[in-house]
Amino acid sequence: MGEWLDEYPGLRVLAETTCSGAAGVCPDPVTAWWDLDLIFQPNVRERRFAYTVLFCLADHMGAAYVPYGHRSSSEMHVGTCTHRLAAMGRLPERVAALDALLAKHRPANAVEFTHEGTPRVKAPWRAGVIADAVSGLLGGRQLTVAMIGTVGLIAEELTARGHAVLVSDMEPTLIGRYAGGVRVQSALDNRVLIKQADVVLATGMILSNGTFPEILAMCREFNRPLCVYAETGSAIAEQLACTGVINLAISEPFPFYIAEGLSRIRLVRSEF
């Protein structure tokens, strides 16, 4: 899987990974770090999620979802140089740190949606925004969408818009089950699903679990547009769209829809 961030040095340049402060003084140190275990079911029509989220706070918040129970070296991060962590940490920690740095460079031309309420209310709203964004990329045509990562409400909304939906996941307990009326297939079948699809919609977790290069390569092999809906690395996804690496970023900056209050979703479409 590799440290795919090293293949896109432009991301690190934009984030000023070479620290601009005086020797030994970082202008954007890590001021707080959390490894937060989450078990939640945002809506009665959705599955139960169990993940750990790495939160990195510098000037802005960055985040990376990882498998439940994952532990970072959080006690060592606070007070350290965020730029150095983004360049030299383990991949999930690098993603959280780089996300925090890039959050101050968010594109001004994003289309933004906001909604306030409980997770029960915001979950279907979020799924609808994502489904509409994918439909827009398809020009309103009713085609086949390959979903990498299982979110039942998104599958429901895509189906309601007339799309055929194929879903895959890396979580063994989900394979063979149904989410949003669609049978979940193994991530080992991604190549087949991407070949069958007209567009690929992938979770931002592909950034933190190292599968991004593989999925991107398959999308390019079969000439399929790649959309990434991202809580993980939301600012990274926006920059990947701005630079033409992916076709569409559907980013969700912190605080996420799973928390009560105001949530934002930003659409950044590649102009390349």
Side-chain angles (χ1 to χ4, degrees):
M1 292 180 182
E3 301 288 59
W4 68 267
L5 288 174
D6 294 326
E7 300 177 24
Y8 300 96
L11 291 175
R12 303 200 310 277
V13 170
L14 184 59
E16 303 163 338
T17 302
T18 303
C19 186
S20 59
V25 179
C26 177
D28 297 302
V30 177
T31 56
W33 185 284
W34 299 271
D35 293 351
L36 181 63
D37 292 334
L38 290 178
I39 299 177
F40 60 97
Q41 184 177 13
N43 185 286
V44 293
R45 290 166 29 226
E46 189 54 89
R47 70 180 178 94
R48 189 179 74 160
F49 297 91
Y51 295 108
T52 295
V53 189
L54 312 183
F55 287 109
C56 174
L57 179 63
D59 276 351
H60 294 74
M61 183 75 82
Y65 277 69
V66 292
Y68 186 82
H70 173 100
R71 287 295 173 265
S72 65
S73 304
S74 55
E75 68 282 356
M76 300 172 58
H77 294 334
V78 176
T80 62
C81 175
T82 313
H83 307 81
R84 181 177 177 82
L85 181 58
M88 300 182 65
R90 293 184 296 177
L91 180 59
E93 295 164 56
R94 290 180 68 181
V95 167
L98 184 60
D99 192 37
L101 292 171
L102 288 177
K104 63 182 178 183
H105 297 287
R106 290 190 184 275
N109 62 345
V111 177
E112 187 164 304
F113 302 86
T114 61
H115 197 68
E116 189 163 6
T118 63
R120 179 180 62 82
V121 171
K122 290 190 294 183
W125 163 79
R126 171 182 181 260
V129 171
I130 293 171
D132 283 342
V134 174
S135 293
L137 193 67
L138 292 171
R141 295 169 295 165
Q142 296 178 339
L143 298 173
T144 300
V145 181
M147 279 186 61
I148 311 298
T150 305
V151 180
L153 287 173
I154 298 176
E156 278 187 17
E157 293 291 337
L158 287 168
T159 302
R161 286 156 178 76
H163 302 299
V165 182
L166 308 170
V167 180
S168 74
D169 208 283
M170 295 178 69
E171 174 54 54
T173 61
L174 295 176
I175 296 168
R177 294 173 56 187
Y178 284 79
V182 181
R183 186 176 181 273
V184 180
Q185 301 184 57
S186 169
L188 297 175
D189 299 324
N190 279 345
R191 193 172 189 278
V192 174
L193 270 58
I194 290 171
K195 184 178 182 180
Q196 293 175 346
D198 298 290
V199 65
V200 177
L201 175 64
T203 168
M205 282 190 72
I206 66 174
L207 305 177
S208 59
N209 66 21
T211 59
F212 174 69
E214 177 185 349
I215 290 168
L216 179 63
M218 288 187 284
C219 288
R220 289 178 171 175
E221 178 185 357
F222 298 114
N223 194 28
R224 303 296 187 256
L226 175 58
C227 311
V228 176
Y229 65 99
E231 294 172 84
T232 293
S234 66
I236 298 174
E238 290 185 15
Q239 293 302 330
L240 290 172
C242 281
T243 54
V245 179
I246 65 175
N247 299 84
L248 177 67
I250 308 170
S251 75
E252 187 176 348
F254 183 83
F256 304 140
Y257 79 103
I258 59 173
E260 188 166 348
L262 184 70
S263 290
R264 293 184 295 151
I265 293 177
R266 293 167 49 88
L267 307 184
V268 179
R269 187 166 179 170
S270 172
E271 300 298 330
F272 289 82

